[in-house]
Amino acid sequence: MIDRITDIWGSRTPYAAGADWPARADQYLADGVAEADVAWVQSACVLCSMDCGMDVAVKDGRIVGVRGRTADRVNHGRLGPKGLFGWQANASPDRLTQPLVRRNGKLEPATWDEAMDLVVERSRQVIGEHGPLGMGFYTSGQLFLEDYYTIGLVVRGGIGTPHLDGNTRLCTATAAFALKETFGSDGAPGSLTDFDSCDTLFMVGHNPAETHTVLWARLLDRLAGPDRPRLIVVDPRRTKVAQAADVHLPVRNGTNLALLNGILHELIAGDHVDKSFVEAHTVGFDKLAQTVAGYDADRVAEICGVPAADIRAAAEIIGSARRLVSTCLQGVYQSHQATATACQINNVNLLRGMIGKPGCTVFQLNGQPTAQNTRETGADGDMVGFRNWQNPAHVADLARVWKLDPLQIPSWGPPTHAMQIFRYAQEGAIRFLWITGTNPAVSLPELARIRSILSQERLFVVVSDAFLTETGRLADVVLPAAMWAEKTGTFTNHDRTVHLSERAIEPPGQARSDMDVFLDYARRLGLSNADGEPLVPWQSPEECFTAFTVVTRGRPCDYSGLSYDKLRGGSGIQWPCNADAPDGTERLYTDHVFDTDPDECEDYGHDLSTGAAFERKDFVALGAAGRAVLKAAHYKPAHEPPDDDYPLLFTTGRTAYHWHTRTKTAHAPQLQNAAPEAWVELSPADADRLGVAEGDVVRVESRRGRLEAKARLSGVREGVVFAPFHFGYWDRDGDGPDGTPTAANELTMTVWDPVSKQPQFKGAAVRVERIADGGGVPAPAPTTTASEPAAGGLPPTAGGTGVRETVEQR
Ligand code: SF4
């Protein structure tokens, strides 16, 4: 038995390039539970975008453990700490079990009828007085495909408002836009199996050791194997991934684009371009070459604060790669030139001609487990099935499937992004806001502003959630939601693998699935299609999934060959899955024909610097027509550079042990004990200057708010201050900092990337002061992750014993 809090990634099973990643079954059962006494129910983990295949152990109607599915292509049986222990949240006594309605300023228990009558009455009132544009909906990256597709149809087709977005805007909006800008459509080009055969890894702003722990286990096994791939890491923190790198570039926050332009410059100058590939399969090379010409390594070194020799060394490794996998995540996406940077990572692989072949791809990764589905179902700013909202034929086709007049589907302008939805609510244009499965009172930037928006008298706020979050505490109506394992549905990970998750137990009390709640809402509102039939024609998750297979037929994310039955029993399956590819599709663009046909593409693209949307004629003029687009942009300094008053740069992120605002993971004792409180990371040099010792309490202050927590002296870059964004106020029974502010987003800014509209969480100017002596007691930060003390010397974070690992001999 192994402590998987201490040993996050488990034991090594090394393998060589091109070999199968060995299977290892990870299993955890609650104390005293015998394996013979449990029934196993098929599912997958929803605590990051890997979506690892797992079975849920059920005994006497309760979940008592989990095991990884060795047959699953994603994880080959492995589970990380969140997957192994996170299920305990389902049985938490803190679960919401009945609706709450605000009466005389207080949330009080109500029946479903009372709550839904009120929701419907206020919806009718707002629609009557303000039209559909008075209605806003903000959803999640953690519901199921069936929930999203139902919400998307009800909101876009029934209510007719464009004000629907997901919190995926905070995590994967840039991934979607970067894919659309370069390849014409969303959808990961590659496959997790590309990690098995690559010889070079280029990881930008991506710390899989904590954000995708099972992916890091796979890479550790490659790194321990006989032909170790070379690894380049760009990250201002000395993460476990950075520690394993051949070249670590700890760039100054906000300078990613300069670095990528510098790498592209070196590739071109060093003659590392696959000219015949670029000529045959891309457009835009001349403009790209012209743009990056001014980014020689010496200039870039000055901008990014890393040695020029290291930039050249990184470019040399990439330039000599034969099979290159590049990845990026929030270090790129949550910055001010997010899409421009992410597109340059696509460009690196395109210049090398390394896409659509084994071991050659770029991963614009996701953060949340079902983020891909918000994009596919149109529950964020996209249209269903990767249709193009600017293409009238696509809108008409969707209207045909939905049996609606095309004019009923809002497509006269871009779907409203989350940051704009909150701005409209602030200004009074949106008067009704329904928030499902997310906690903006902790996760959005500039929290004082968000709390004031959600607290307005004139705004009617509905929150559907499994727990009473900080956001729920500000709502007018709170609806108890069924969680993972309490409802059946599907979800899709960041390499297009679709999993089925079966209902294993009953939801507690009166909790219902979000799909059921929106079906009820549509019924009560009397929403119908053009034939006078109920707008939403399905009743069960399986019927909804079948309808989704129909609406995606012929689109890039083609689900038409999938069914619940097909997803039962074995591994998840990658879309497109259809008559031509009945077993799914491992890799896109193997013929190097990209989705840039103007009639088919999902988006006509944008100016990467200004965000201005191109029209069809602009896109046609590019002449891509099946070729990938090499888009270029110049680096610009970030919005809020450090100055004398606020001399440090603040950045936020995650730890391996928690998920988002801890509404789930804090209810798993092993995870909560591993990271029980907020902390702040400083470099030893900054700490020394500020007179701060390990464990002292510091105040971090920006122009918008402050955060107080114990200091950890870690390997973060000098001049940069890091804090995890998980810690809000709900476990102090509050909706805001009534006392000590612990939410990192008190400090962040209301600014976003011009193309993807993803907020910038990684770069606000702050100052730090020591406000109390820690008495020599270390900060409550993990010692087994990037948060480990730079000086070492602290015992490993522990507490996850009882996990069994069984390596399968094949
Ligand atoms: S890597 Fe992600 S999906 Fe897999 S077990 Fe861990 S949290 Fe769950």
Side-chain angles (χ1 to χ4, degrees), residues 45 47-48 50-52 79-80 82-83 212-214:
C45 178
L47 289 168
C48 87
M50 287 289 284
D51 300 3
C52 295
L79 297 173
K82 291 196 291 290
H212 301 122
T213 57
V214 169

Side-chain angles (χ1 to χ4, degrees), residues 312 371 384 695 786 791:
R312 290 194 185 97
V384 184

Side-chain angles (χ1 to χ4, degrees), residues 100-386:
L100 305 172
V101 167
R102 190 169 296 279
R103 297 187 184 109
N104 303 316
K106 283 180 63 180
L107 285 171
E108 294 179 349
T111 65
W112 269 101
D113 271 340
E114 286 168 335
M116 289 304 289
D117 281 351
L118 185 56
V119 170
V120 168
E121 180 196 317
R122 289 305 293 262
S123 300
R124 287 210 172 101
Q125 187 190 340
V126 169
I127 293 168
E129 291 172 8
H130 302 272
L133 296 182
M135 304 286 288
F137 296 82
Y138 183 52
T139 187
S140 175
Q142 296 164 55
L143 311 185
F144 288 2
L145 180 152
E146 293 75 2
D147 300 311
Y148 297 134
Y149 189 41
T150 306
I151 292 172
L153 173 53
V154 169
V155 173
R156 290 201 201 284
I159 308 258
T161 176
H163 304 330
L164 164 64
D165 199 6
N167 69 4
T168 46
R169 185 66 57 181
L170 317 184
C171 77
T172 64
T174 301
F177 273 89
L179 293 167
K180 289 186 277 190
E181 296 290 333
T182 302
F183 305 117
S185 174
D186 194 349
S191 163
L192 288 169
T193 51
D194 289 323
F195 290 104
D196 300 338
S197 50
C198 66
D199 68 9
T200 305
L201 283 155
F202 180 36
M203 310 188 98
V204 188
H206 177 208
N207 174 16
E210 297 190 58
T211 57
H212 301 122
T213 57
V214 169
L215 174 58
W216 185 235
R218 191 173 196 144
L219 297 179
L220 283 173
D221 287 346
R222 275 300 316 278
L223 292 167
D227 44 7
R228 177 190 184 281
R230 295 170 300 174
L231 174 61
I232 300 158
V233 173
V234 181
D235 199 313
R237 298 174 77 207
R238 198 168 167 274
T239 63
K240 292 289 182 188
V241 185
Q243 290 171 38
D246 296 273
V247 179
H248 173 208
L249 298 165
V251 295
R252 191 174 281 131
N253 286 47
T255 63
N256 289 328
L257 182 55
L259 178 76
L260 265 298
N261 281 351
I263 300 259
L264 290 165
H265 168 91
E266 293 295 321
L267 291 179
I268 294 169
D271 203 18
H272 294 305
V273 175
D274 181 339
K275 294 193 183 74
S276 56
F277 179 91
V278 167
E279 176 102 354
H281 303 298
T282 70
V283 293
F285 177 77
D286 289 347
K287 178 145 188 241
L288 177 68
Q290 204 180 17
T291 304
V292 304
Y295 292 82
D296 63 78
D298 292 319
R299 178 180 171 222
V300 171
E302 206 158 293
I303 296 170
C304 300
V306 292
D310 289 355
I311 297 169
R312 290 194 185 97
E316 192 53 42
I317 291 173
I318 294 169
S320 58
R322 285 181 300 145
R323 293 182 304 278
L324 170 69
V325 171
S326 303
T327 70
C328 60
L329 196 64
Q330 310 306 354
V332 170
Y333 302 160
Q334 294 179 339
S335 60
H336 70 296
Q337 292 185 291
T339 310
T341 306
C343 285
Q344 303 322 306
I345 297 164
N346 294 339
N347 290 349
V348 166
N349 275 70
L350 287 170
L351 289 198
R352 300 287 297 117
M354 292 185 182
I355 194 129
K357 301 186 281 198
C360 299
T361 198
V362 57
F363 271 104
Q364 301 285 344
L365 287 160
N366 297 346
Q368 295 185 77
T370 69
Q372 193 66 45
N373 302 115
T374 62
R375 286 142 59 179
E376 295 161 4
T377 58
D380 65 348
D382 294 307
M383 290 214 53
V384 184
F386 296 165

Side-chain angles (χ1 to χ4, degrees), residues 467-732:
F467 294 92
L468 189 57
T469 62
E470 291 84 343
T471 306
R473 286 166 206 266
L474 297 169
D476 297 287
V477 173
V478 179
L479 302 173
M483 288 170 72
W484 162 89
E486 296 163 359
K487 58 184 181 182
T488 293
T490 52
F491 39 90
T492 306
N493 81 345
H494 50 210
D495 87 334
R496 298 171 281 103
T497 303
V498 185
H499 284 104
L500 174 68
S501 179
E502 307 264 21
R503 177 166 163 153
I505 57 167
E506 293 292 319
Q510 300 170 32
R512 293 182 185 169
S513 77
D514 293 282
M515 189 194 90
D516 283 343
V517 174
F518 271 78
L519 284 175
D520 186 21
Y521 181 57
R523 252 190 321 262
R524 288 172 189 259
L525 277 176
L527 300 179
S528 57
N529 64 26
D531 295 344
E533 300 157 344
L535 175 74
V536 187
W538 52 82
Q539 295 299 317
S540 69
E542 187 162 10
E543 288 168 6
C544 177
F545 185 79
T546 304
F548 189 69
T549 66
V550 172
V551 80
T552 57
R553 185 185 297 277
R555 296 300 305 155
C557 55
D558 192 335
Y559 278 64
S560 61
L562 289 171
S563 65
Y564 275 16
D565 273 347
K566 189 157 184 169
L567 291 166
R568 285 194 175 106
S571 169
I573 298 172
Q574 289 172 286
W575 64 247
C577 179
N578 50 28
D580 294 337
D583 299 322
T585 305
E586 185 174 27
R587 216 165 268 114
L588 304 183
Y589 311 131
T590 50
D591 55 1
H592 297 145
V593 176
F594 299 94
D595 285 328
T596 51
D597 182 315
D599 293 330
E600 296 301 322
C601 69
E602 188 186 357
D603 201 303
Y604 297 136
H606 297 76
D607 180 295
L608 295 185
S609 297
T610 64
F614 293 155
E615 295 179 3
R616 182 185 169 94
K617 63 178 167 41
D618 308 310
F619 188 74
V620 169
L622 268 179
R627 291 186 284 177
V629 184
L630 295 163
K631 301 200 90 160
H634 282 289
Y635 159 76
K636 286 187 218 159
H639 299 275
E640 194 177 66
D643 56 21
D644 289 348
D645 291 335
Y646 298 93
L648 299 166
L649 272 171
F650 181 66
T651 187
T652 70
R654 287 199 254 154
T655 177
Y657 302 112
H658 279 304
W659 178 246
H660 276 213
T661 58
R662 293 184 308 124
T663 44
K664 288 181 265 197
T665 48
H667 293 99
Q670 298 88 341
L671 300 173
Q672 174 63 7
N673 293 340
E677 282 174 40
W679 69 91
V680 166
E681 290 179 32
L682 297 170
S683 73
D686 288 325
D688 190 43
R689 230 181 343 264
L690 293 160
V692 174
E694 168 74 33
D696 286 353
V697 182
V698 294
R699 176 178 298 141
V700 187
E701 207 169 353
S702 77
R703 289 179 175 84
R704 294 154 294 278
R706 64 195 165 86
L707 160 66
E708 291 171 9
K710 289 192 165 205
R712 160 61 43 86
L713 277 51
S714 75
V716 68
R717 181 190 164 93
E718 190 177 342
V720 175
V721 181
F722 170 89
F725 75 88
H726 307 293
F727 297 90
Y729 310 103
W730 62 262
D731 42 355
R732 299 199 330 238

Side-chain angles (χ1 to χ4, degrees), residues 86-102:
W87 53 269
Q88 295 164 97
N90 286 63
S92 164
D94 292 347
R95 289 289 302 277
L96 285 168
T97 55
Q98 71 181 111
L100 305 172
V101 167
R102 190 169 296 279

